[in-house]
Every structure is written in C-alpha cells, then in structure tokens.
Amino acid sequence: MSLNETLTNDLKTAMKAGKKDELTIIRMLKTNLMNEKIKFGHDLNDDEAAAVVNREIKQHLDSIEQFKAGAREDLVEQQEKEMKILKKYAPKQMEPEEVAKIVKETVKQLGATGKSDFGKVMGAVMGKIKGKADGNVVKKAVNDELK
C-alpha cells in the first residue's frame, strides 16, 4: 500500500474517532505530497514520498529547538505530539551500526584516506542511503572513519 493510500485510510479513521491532531498532520502530509506530485509532474515513488515525510520531521525538529530556546514549552509539546504522528509515516531509519558499515565500504571503494575526502564520502554515502538515515548520523560515522 502506498503512503498516500495509507494516509487516506488513516484520515478516515481519524475523522471517525475525532482525533484533531492526527487529522491536521495527515491533511498537511497529503497536501505536501500533492504539491510535490505537481512539482515533479508524476506520481511520487516511495523514495520521493519518504523524502517529503523526512523533510516535515526535520522541520519539526528545528521548530522544537527554536521553541526550547525561546522557552515556549507549550509549543514544544505540540510539536513533539505532531512529530510522533509524523514518525508513523516515515521510513524505518537505519541503525548507526548499519550506517557505519556502509561508510566503511564506501571509504574502501573511493580510496578515501583523510578529512580532505569528507565531502566525497558524504555524497556517496548519502546517495546510497537516501532517506533511510539522518544526515547527522552519517556525518558522525564519516568523521569517525576518516580520523
């Protein structure tokens, strides 16, 4: 079942149950997916749909940081609630150990030797694991490997 079909089914369920927070997030996701579909001019594949969900999660994380800095705990709580809902639709994230393994393989393939090869390794790794791991996890793994 595609993400859009899942969202449609969950939208109906949330409407019947009267879950306003879920309704808001699902509608937002459906709108963002539709905008992305229009932008690309074709139905989104799984990777493109996952990128939309991951982008929303990242925006919520950024908002949480900003609200914490501004001492707005009420908004932090709301963003965290919304993020829990968003994470249901995000692709499963890779474990740091899996990322480290891919980084090691990529470093060998590219023949990378030091920090000067950081950008080359990051680009190659992010291309392989697109949307399946957070960029910060990849960055840490690459830094650890290219000491």
Side-chain angles (χ1 to χ4, degrees), residues 1 16 31 59 61 72-73 75 90 96 106 118 124 142 145:
M1 186 182 314
K16 290 176 184 175
T31 300
Q59 286 176 353
L61 285 171
R72 294 293 311 266
E73 288 304 314
L75 296 175
T106 305
F118 179 84
V142 171
E145 191 64 30

Side-chain angles (χ1 to χ4, degrees), residues 21 24-25 28 55-68 72-87:
D21 288 341
T24 302
I25 294 300
M28 178 209 43
R55 185 172 50 233
E56 285 302 318
I57 289 172
K58 185 169 177 18
Q59 286 176 353
H60 274 67
L61 285 171
D62 291 343
S63 295
I64 288 170
E65 283 180 36
Q66 294 295 317
F67 292 144
K68 281 183 179 177
R72 294 293 311 266
E73 288 304 314
D74 56 326
L75 296 175
V76 170
E77 284 180 33
Q78 180 64 29
Q79 290 291 313
E80 287 173 344
K81 266 197 260 182
E82 290 176 2
M83 207 160 68
K84 275 184 187 177
I85 298 166
L86 281 170
K87 284 187 175 182

Side-chain angles (χ1 to χ4, degrees), residues 30-70:
K30 285 183 69 68
T31 300
N32 289 342
L33 288 168
M34 182 58 69
N35 288 339
E36 207 71 5
K37 177 181 174 181
I38 292 168
K39 178 179 159 186
F40 288 131
H42 62 82
D43 287 339
L44 301 179
N45 62 36
D46 291 340
D47 288 339
E48 292 166 338
V52 172
V53 176
N54 286 336
R55 185 172 50 233
E56 285 302 318
I57 289 172
K58 185 169 177 18
Q59 286 176 353
H60 274 67
L61 285 171
D62 291 343
S63 295
I64 288 170
E65 283 180 36
Q66 294 295 317
F67 292 144
K68 281 183 179 177

